[in-house]
Amino acid sequence: MHVSLISLMGAAALAMAAPAFAATPKPADPPTAGPLDAATFYKGMWYEQARTPTGLTRGCEYATTEHGRDGKGRITVRDACLKGGPQGKETAIAGIGTLKDPGQNAALEVKYRFGPFRPVRTYRIIAAGPAGEWHISAEPGFEKVYIFTRAVAPPLAEVEALISRVRAIGYAGEIEVLKTPGRD
């Protein structure tokens, strides 16, 4: 009987403490933007204006993503940035993208080539400008966001408005504004 009471008290204490140890719920994935015109959206240069910082990207400014097509018509992706300022060393990674939601064209899975490694990332376009002048993308789970524009250096007020937009969608994590030529 004594063991049962101790077990019961332990179970009650554990049940009361469980909420304190429960994982913070992740925000739900926001809806994707779309439909997007894949022929124009995934073509040319996008300039990264703001993003969720990571150990890999911290200090890497003047960031771009360039889309094109290879000889087989597949979407090519080249992400690059400069470490150490506008004259710094370029860091780049390239891969092949596959649209995961044909018709909507807002989810792109990229299989990168990075030496012997082949990391795969899926990016979801969660908001886009009506004329294709900007977009906000997120990785599944809405843990990382990226804000891009076609303009190299839009005014900081425009970048802050896009950050407000991603906050309104529900992203509460850290966002850093990047340096870019003309708005260092």
Side-chain angles (χ1 to χ4, degrees), residues 100-111:
K100 301 310 279 183
D101 61 345
Q104 290 299 304
N105 304 326
L108 184 70
E109 179 186 82
V110 182
K111 294 181 180 178

Side-chain angles (χ1 to χ4, degrees), residues 48 51-61 81 83 146 176 178:
E48 190 172 17
R51 66 175 169 232
T52 304
T54 66
L56 185 63
T57 61
R58 264 195 217 279
C60 211
E61 307 279 350
C81 61
K83 287 198 174 195
Y146 311 90
E176 66 180 350
L178 293 119

Side-chain angles (χ1 to χ4, degrees), residues 43-130:
K43 179 181 181 181
M45 190 69 72
W46 285 100
Y47 297 90
E48 190 172 17
Q49 304 298 329
R51 66 175 169 232
T52 304
T54 66
L56 185 63
T57 61
R58 264 195 217 279
C60 211
E61 307 279 350
Y62 311 94
T64 59
T65 292
E66 185 174 11
H67 295 112
R69 296 289 187 277
D70 68 6
K72 297 178 182 177
R74 300 177 301 180
I75 298 170
T76 58
V77 180
R78 184 179 189 274
D79 297 329
C81 61
L82 300 175
K83 287 198 174 195
Q87 305 305 317
K89 181 180 181 212
E90 182 183 71
T91 299
I93 187 170
I96 298 295
T98 303
L99 291 168
K100 301 310 279 183
D101 61 345
Q104 290 299 304
N105 304 326
L108 184 70
E109 179 186 82
V110 182
K111 294 181 180 178
Y112 289 101
R113 296 177 306 272
F114 189 65
F117 304 104
R118 300 289 184 260
V120 177
R121 297 283 182 275
T122 299
Y123 303 102
R124 296 175 62 234
I125 309 304
I126 61 174

Side-chain angles (χ1 to χ4, degrees), residues 85-182:
Q87 305 305 317
K89 181 180 181 212
E90 182 183 71
T91 299
I93 187 170
I96 298 295
T98 303
L99 291 168
K100 301 310 279 183
D101 61 345
Q104 290 299 304
N105 304 326
L108 184 70
E109 179 186 82
V110 182
K111 294 181 180 178
Y112 289 101
R113 296 177 306 272
F114 189 65
F117 304 104
R118 300 289 184 260
V120 177
R121 297 283 182 275
T122 299
Y123 303 102
R124 296 175 62 234
I125 309 304
I126 61 174
E133 69 278 21
W134 59 267
H135 76 267
I136 300 168
S137 64
E139 291 187 28
F142 204 28
E143 293 178 8
K144 294 181 186 131
V145 296
Y146 311 90
I147 298 173
F148 288 89
T149 62
R150 289 290 189 183
V152 175
L156 189 55
E158 288 181 26
V159 176
E160 289 171 347
L162 292 171
I163 292 170
S164 293
R165 185 179 287 267
V166 79
R167 296 274 186 226
I169 294 171
Y171 181 75
E174 184 181 356
I175 298 176
E176 66 180 350
V177 175
L178 293 119
K179 291 180 182 175
T180 192

